Amino acid sequence: MAGYDVDLFVIGAGSGGVRAARIAAGHGASVMVAEEDRVGGTCVIRGCVPKKILVMASRYADDLEAAASFGWTVGARFDWQTLIRNKDTEIARLEGLYRTNLEKAGVTIVASRAVVEDAQTVRILTTGARIRAGRILIATGGYAVRDGFPGAEHAITSNEAFHLAQAPKRILVIGGGYIALEFAGIFARLGSEVTLVHRRDKLLRGFDEDVRLAVTESYEKSGIRLALEKTVKRLDKVGARLVATLSDGSEIEIDQVLNATGRKPNTDGLGLREAGVALDDNGAVVVDAFSRSSVPSIFAVGDVTGRANLTPVAIREGHAFADTEFGGKEVKVNHALIPTAVFSTPEIGTVGLTEADARKTHAHIDIYMTSFRPMRAAFSGRDQKMLMKLIVDKASDKVLGVHIVGPEAGEMIQLAGVAMTMGATKSDFDRTIAVHPTAAEELVTMRTPV
Ligand code: FAD
């Protein structure tokens, strides 16, 4: 682009930034991307990927326990250091892949923090260089917020949880969202005594009530101590141990505290307000359906916009931005229907409306719900339940929501998401032939509303 050093400057090489940079370069744009940490961003380095590896490691505990009923004699021992070392090797491999793919596409990677100086200029902090760009894409993601109670600095966030020298003997997890649940499940299965403190009466605010209930019950049964409707008032370091004082006055002695109460958009000190970019009350960049900010040359995708903080969404937004701005075709992302999974154990898969939301927006809905013991659990005698729930609009017969709790819920919900994106009705589910014997077949065999 005439008069500019680059057509596009991307700040942040995470899920959204990498995709946008690669696709824009593919459309012929000259692209520079600045990354202050590691290429790959939250998902690859300290989010989805290492988290899923830890979840997979933790679930061997259940498999090994069930193995005896299938005739196996198992003498197993778990080693945290081996897991963390192998996880780090895999993350380094993936980081390398992301870097190579960017370079292959012709993108210049700058290893530095970068800030916006004005509507067309980015400053690279390590060198002080000012780069003039036709367009600037903010893809800086979010960061884990720490609570404000005295002693909160002794707690770790999810970032540090991936690098502990050893698995804690006793850990207190603060939070009731998906990250808190996932880590509580991981540590409990890898041998830690886990207490989870959450200020509300149920876990996973915003999810369907039956899902929340099923997961809360399962967590209690799996030996995780739930301290609901409580908060942490203070945290004291006593030698190598920590003592947490809760809002009811009780004290818990632990070795580690994981603060997982929320994340905020990464916009502090980025120069956005000064450049005239509108931010919302939470600090997120306000964007339209084409990821345009209030300044015509500045765009934003991913967690920094606070739309739906998920990797596939950031990737879609980055791709749509690049196609629209550099590929000559206008592409919008549909945020209305986002299938998503929580890798708690039991796993959750959900797409579409919760029952409560469906009741607000539709005059008459039918609920189809079943709860059963999956075949494997029944065989091994384990007290494990699976939940499946369909929410259907009575007038149009359209499936409005699918909610699954149990093994492989994340895999199942991806396909339910395809059906719902195509506008599936309950009759479409009904005329689909079941796959037997599976748990998923229950999705197409529920006939009577509850
Ligand atoms: P990010 O991936 O966060 O990338 C932003 C990048 O910008 C970072 O690399 C950062 O270092 C860099 N940066 C920031 N400021 C600057 C600056 N000024 N200059 C240069 N570089 C800068 N999502 C899922 O879909 N599934 C999951 O299972 C899942 N699990 C998660 C588990 C955890 C523990 C966490 C924390 C998140 C998880 N997420 C998951 C969410 C997912 O990681 C994010 O939605 C996704 O990474 C957002 O992508 P992004 O491009 O917006 O930002």
Side-chain angles (χ1 to χ4, degrees):
M1 204 178 274
Y4 296 115
D5 300 312
V6 289
D7 297 323
L8 172 65
F9 197 109
V10 181
I11 306 184
S15 308
V18 166
R19 175 59 69 93
R22 219 163 44 73
I23 301 301
H27 287 313
S30 59
V31 184
M32 205 176 259
V33 54
E35 172 53 57
E36 65 178 345
D37 197 312
R38 292 174 68 182
V39 172
T42 305
C43 181
V44 178
I45 309 296
R46 62 194 86 84
C48 339
V49 178
K51 182 270 303 282
K52 187 81 188 274
I53 292 173
L54 264 53
V55 168
M56 290 190 284
S58 72
R59 288 181 183 167
Y60 278 95
D62 305 84
D63 293 346
L64 290 165
E65 200 189 300
S69 41
F70 289 92
W72 291 91
T73 305
V74 187
R77 210 178 57 82
F78 170 70
D79 182 51
W80 173 263
Q81 277 92 4
T82 304
L83 169 64
I84 297 302
R85 194 173 52 244
N86 291 347
K87 179 263 296 172
D88 287 342
T89 305
E90 175 62 4
I91 300 305
R93 185 184 73 82
L94 290 175
E95 183 186 1
L97 271 182
Y98 272 76
R99 188 176 282 282
T100 311
N101 287 341
L102 279 173
E103 285 166 353
K104 266 199 209 148
V107 175
T108 307
I109 306 170
V110 181
S112 171
R113 180 169 171 79
V115 296
V116 171
E117 195 140 285
D118 62 41
Q120 282 338 135
T121 315
V122 172
R123 187 157 48 91
I124 294 171
L125 295 201
T126 50
T127 60
R130 287 178 167 77
I131 308 293
R132 300 268 301 151
R135 289 175 183 76
I136 298 169
L137 179 68
I138 310 299
T140 51
Y143 64 93
V145 180
R146 275 177 192 277
D147 288 338
F149 54 79
E153 70 275 10
H154 302 308
I156 57 168
T157 68
S158 57
N159 293 347
E160 294 77 41
F162 292 117
H163 299 285
L164 296 175
Q166 57 206 25
K169 263 202 157 116
R170 301 161 300 177
I171 184 166
L172 179 72
V173 178
I174 315 172
Y178 82 94
I179 295 178
L181 249 74
E182 289 173 344
F183 275 105
I186 289 167
F187 283 118
R189 283 177 172 71
L190 295 181
S192 305
E193 228 175 74
V194 180
T195 307
L196 189 144
V197 183
H198 180 43
R199 65 195 163 99
R200 297 178 192 276
D201 64 342
K202 256 183 256 131
L203 305 169
L204 286 176
R205 187 163 64 100
F207 282 72
D208 187 88
E209 285 298 311
D210 286 304
V211 169
R212 299 179 73 189
L213 206 66
V215 172
T216 306
E217 275 175 9
S218 280
Y219 264 50
E220 267 165 344
K221 271 192 211 153
S222 69
I224 293 168
R225 267 210 301 164
L226 296 184
L228 299 176
E229 295 182 274
K230 293 183 183 64
T231 55
V232 175
K233 282 291 158 209
R234 59 178 301 118
L235 186 60
D236 294 291
K237 202 162 171 58
V238 185
R241 296 164 294 117
L242 293 165
V243 176
T245 308
L246 304 190
S247 46
D248 62 354
S250 62
E251 288 187 350
I252 307 181
E253 194 183 289
I254 55 269
D255 307 296
Q256 201 69 255
V257 176
L258 171 62
N259 195 338
T261 40
R263 293 179 65 81
K264 277 193 89 168
N266 231 336
T267 50
D268 294 350
L270 211 55
L272 292 174
R273 278 192 206 282
E274 296 80 348
V277 175
L279 305 180
D280 71 11
D281 292 344
N282 202 31
V285 180
V286 178
V287 288
D288 68 7
F290 290 102
S291 297
R292 290 185 285 231
S293 81
S294 55
V295 173
S297 56
I298 301 182
F299 299 75
V301 295
D303 285 11
V304 77
T305 66
R307 284 177 281 187
N309 295 347
L310 293 164
T311 277
V313 177
I315 289 174
R316 271 297 166 88
E317 289 167 358
H319 203 129
F321 154 78
D323 279 346
T324 305
E325 294 302 316
F326 299 100
K329 52 179 170 187
E330 289 204 334
V331 186
K332 267 190 207 171
V333 177
N334 175 11
H335 289 91
L337 212 51
I338 301 174
T340 179
V342 175
F343 295 97
S344 46
T345 306
E347 195 164 297
I348 301 167
T350 171
V351 57
L353 297 180
T354 63
E355 180 179 337
D357 285 340
R359 287 198 188 286
K360 280 185 217 148
T361 49
H362 293 75
H364 299 289
I365 58 166
D366 275 336
I367 306 295
Y368 297 83
M369 189 157 68
T370 176
S371 174
F372 57 97
R373 248 167 140 193
M375 193 172 164
R376 212 162 96 102
F379 186 77
S380 62
R382 302 193 67 222
D383 186 11
Q384 190 187 53
K385 281 260 175 71
M386 183 131 201
L387 174 84
M388 300 222 169
K389 181 170 178 179
L390 294 183
I391 295 154
V392 178
D393 176 35
K394 236 183 151 130
S396 64
D397 196 38
K398 267 214 169 150
V399 177
L400 302 173
V402 181
H403 305 275
I404 306 173
V405 180
E408 309 301 346
E411 303 291 340
M412 288 181 222
I413 211 66
Q414 180 66 82
L415 300 178
V418 175
M420 278 186 65
T421 301
M422 294 173 75
T425 59
K426 179 66 170 65
S427 318
D428 291 327
F429 273 61
D430 291 346
R431 66 194 173 86
T432 304
I433 293 177
V435 179
H436 186 73
T438 64
E441 68 183 304
E442 296 290 331
L443 285 175
V444 300
T445 53
M446 286 186 273
R447 290 288 183 269
T448 318
V450 292

